[in-house]
Amino acid sequence: MMRKPAMQKSKQWNIKGAMHLAGIFHFLHSCGSGCLVPFLTLYFRHLGLTATMTGIIMASKHLLALVWRPISSVLARQYDKRRTVIVGSLLSSALVVLLLLLFPSAGIKAESGRCNASQPSADPTDGSDFTTLESMNIPSQSNANVYSVKHTTIITEQPDELSSTYTPTLVNSSSSWSIRAIRSLRNLEEQQEEAPHTEFLGSLKVMDAQHQMFFLVLFVIVLWEFMAAPLEWTADDGLYEYLDYVDATGRHKGVKVWKQLGAAVGTGVVGILVTNLYCRTGTVTELYSYTALMILTAPTATLFPLYLRKRERPTSGGFKALQLVHGNSQALLCAITVVLTGMATSAVSDFLLWQMQDHNAMEIHMGISLALAYLSQAGFAPLAGRLARFLKYHGWLLVLAVISLSLQCLYYSFLWGPWAVVPAQMLAGFSTGALWWSVTSQCEDIATPGTEETLIRLFEALSLELGAGLGSLMVGFVVQKFGLKILFQGISVILALWSITLAVLKWKIPRQRRINYSRLLAADTSEVSESESDQENDWLETAMEDAKRSNKWKMDKF
């Protein structure tokens, strides 16, 4: 008689604990990213790079992520190496970004007016050596005056010579970055003269110091993005498949708020730290903070909930998502809008801090204002549903988002002080928050079973990578040619015109949605759609009502 095998105990899945671990991981990672990424372009300015150079570097970063992020995600899933990729990305990006410390720093901090209390006075009548500033105009730097640093000896017995050689040493805070930039470039030249000439350095030697710095920074940023880009999609894919396996995909959206809160804490804290430690560390606190938090995040990555079993066959979700967007007019409008807003948002993220710095803002003002923007986005989620019901259609939220972003950019062009940016930052919930809430609702309207997450990711790539890459490339040239004020005003006008066009097109184009029972029956409904008026009465409910009326008529007859 054969013995019946004992039943295996079913594995218990702690969904609540898994989501707590995922929340901690995303909070720490976003906190680390918030310490560095928003301040990168400001650091480039301190190194003496022009607006065009900064735009090219940021565009290269975004376009590399657009290509490498999906490829690395597929490879990590195919070879079942998601956890290895996540941990490796954290540690390698933390180390690679420190290569920026090898570039010569400004070396002097007294020019900013923030550390003068501890510096000896430079009296031109005491016969001592002191640093003077030679004014020269560089149109590429927002038409601001740039001051080069010269070491001059003043002899009090020769007042006539003093009048011919003396240059005022007073520097306002809006141009202090220029002095550090000039010193940084000159230090780079001195280091290259002393260093052994390799083939690569020999080719750089024919360039001026500014272009040498540009190519070195570009190389480091591209290498850093290559290391950091795989993390986000790999982690999100693993967590989503883990939740899908236990039928809890609805909880996946809960991690987004932890990303926003982490970014808010990171930007706010690092802004306070840089301001308080500036006289000791200068502008490198962001780099050390990023490295420390990436290393701190690594232990949580070892416990991050992942679905590790590789799939039996590769999926073509990306192509399916493209087909769904291409086949729906409302989705196409949404795709065009996210590309345009991505271009505008890249201009804000790349050059808003430059605009604030030109109006005497320090890192504490920048960090707190950025933190308020993230908190505004996180706080918009509870209001989104009510606002959409008030507007009767989530598509109008997309129009509201474009209008809000247009008003933000217009406001940025008229800043007058360090804290003047705060009211505009509070609009981030109605611009960025409303944008992505509307995009998510649009994805739900056109999604077939298993494609909703892929559709959201497609729109994110169009906005955060493609749109941001194109935007960074173009706005750098605009700032170089016309300045920051014209940049923000021009973007505001373009967005205002698009908001009007978008409202008219959304009113003219009928809304299409997938029928409700497609998700319940898990059927392929790629060829089925109906208008909003037809959607109000599902065919199954109509059939049941007809059957009830027929039965009632028969009973009355007898």
Side-chain angles (χ1 to χ4, degrees), residues 294-326:
M294 291 300 105
I295 295 175
L296 183 63
T297 309
T300 65
T302 61
L303 303 174
F304 189 79
L306 295 172
Y307 183 74
L308 299 178
R309 187 180 64 184
K310 62 182 180 181
R311 297 183 177 181
E312 299 179 357
R313 59 183 179 85
T315 61
S316 57
F319 296 104
K320 182 66 174 178
L322 285 172
Q323 292 175 354
L324 291 172
V325 173
H326 182 266

Side-chain angles (χ1 to χ4, degrees), residues 41 53 71-72 210 263 437 485 506 541:
T41 57
M53 293 176 177
I71 294 176
S72 60
Q210 192 177 48
W437 200 92
K485 185 175 182 178
K506 280 194 168 293
E541 296 177 357

Side-chain angles (χ1 to χ4, degrees), residues 252-458:
H252 185 256
K253 297 178 181 179
V255 301
K256 185 176 181 180
V257 67
W258 291 107
K259 295 180 182 180
Q260 294 168 336
L261 292 177
V265 172
T267 53
V269 171
V270 81
I272 296 172
L273 288 177
V274 172
T275 302
N276 290 320
L277 301 177
Y278 182 82
C279 296
R280 296 182 179 181
T281 63
T283 58
V284 300
T285 305
E286 298 99 328
L287 303 177
Y288 289 121
S289 301
Y290 173 84
T291 298
L293 283 167
M294 291 300 105
I295 295 175
L296 183 63
T297 309
T300 65
T302 61
L303 303 174
F304 189 79
L306 295 172
Y307 183 74
L308 299 178
R309 187 180 64 184
K310 62 182 180 181
R311 297 183 177 181
E312 299 179 357
R313 59 183 179 85
T315 61
S316 57
F319 296 104
K320 182 66 174 178
L322 285 172
Q323 292 175 354
L324 291 172
V325 173
H326 182 266
N328 188 284
S329 299
Q330 293 284 354
L332 277 176
L333 279 178
C334 189
I336 296 172
T337 302
V338 297
V339 172
L340 289 176
T341 54
M343 296 171 68
T345 304
S346 69
V348 174
S349 60
D350 290 351
F351 294 106
L352 175 60
L353 300 191
W354 287 34
Q355 177 79 330
M356 293 181 66
Q357 191 178 57
D358 288 346
H359 290 84
N360 304 321
M362 294 187 294
E363 286 79 3
I364 187 172
H365 307 108
M366 302 173 188
I368 293 177
S369 64
L370 291 172
L372 289 175
Y374 288 118
L375 292 176
S376 176
Q377 295 173 32
F380 180 79
L383 304 176
R386 296 179 182 179
L387 187 58
R389 287 192 294 270
F390 174 77
L391 296 174
K392 298 182 179 180
Y393 173 39
H394 63 76
W396 298 119
L397 273 180
L398 194 64
V399 179
L400 176 63
V402 178
I403 294 174
S404 299
L405 187 55
S406 175
L407 293 176
Q408 276 185 284
C409 292
L410 182 63
Y411 186 94
Y412 292 148
S413 67
F414 294 106
L415 296 183
W416 63 89
W419 293 111
V421 74
V422 171
Q425 295 297 85
M426 302 303 294
L427 274 177
F430 288 95
S431 56
T432 306
L435 173 71
W436 290 111
W437 200 92
S438 178
V439 168
T440 302
S441 300
Q442 180 65 60
C443 293
E444 293 174 353
D445 282 355
I446 66 173
T448 57
T451 62
E452 183 176 333
E453 191 69 17
T454 307
L455 281 167
I456 295 175
R457 182 159 294 172
L458 173 63

Side-chain angles (χ1 to χ4, degrees), residues 402-403 406-407 490-502:
V402 178
I403 294 174
S406 175
L407 293 176
I491 293 175
S492 177
V493 171
I494 293 173
L495 289 176
L497 292 176
W498 176 248
S499 66
I500 298 173
T501 305
L502 181 64

Side-chain angles (χ1 to χ4, degrees), residues 111-161:
E111 301 87 345
S112 66
R114 297 159 67 174
C115 305
N116 279 345
S118 61
Q119 301 293 332
S121 62
D123 187 354
T125 64
D126 63 0
S128 61
D129 293 352
F130 70 99
T131 299
T132 63
L133 307 175
E134 179 184 9
S135 178
M136 56 184 177
N137 187 268
I138 299 181
S140 62
Q141 300 289 351
S142 306
N143 298 322
N145 285 331
V146 177
Y147 297 87
S148 63
V149 181
K150 296 197 304 181
H151 197 66
T152 306
T153 301
I154 299 301
I155 302 175
T156 58
E157 289 78 11
Q158 298 177 347
D160 294 337
E161 295 183 7

Side-chain angles (χ1 to χ4, degrees), residues 59-69 221-223 225-226:
S60 302
K61 174 182 177 294
H62 290 302
L63 296 178
L64 174 63
L66 177 67
V67 176
W68 175 233
R69 188 167 285 161
I221 294 300
V222 168
L223 180 61
E225 184 65 24
F226 184 83

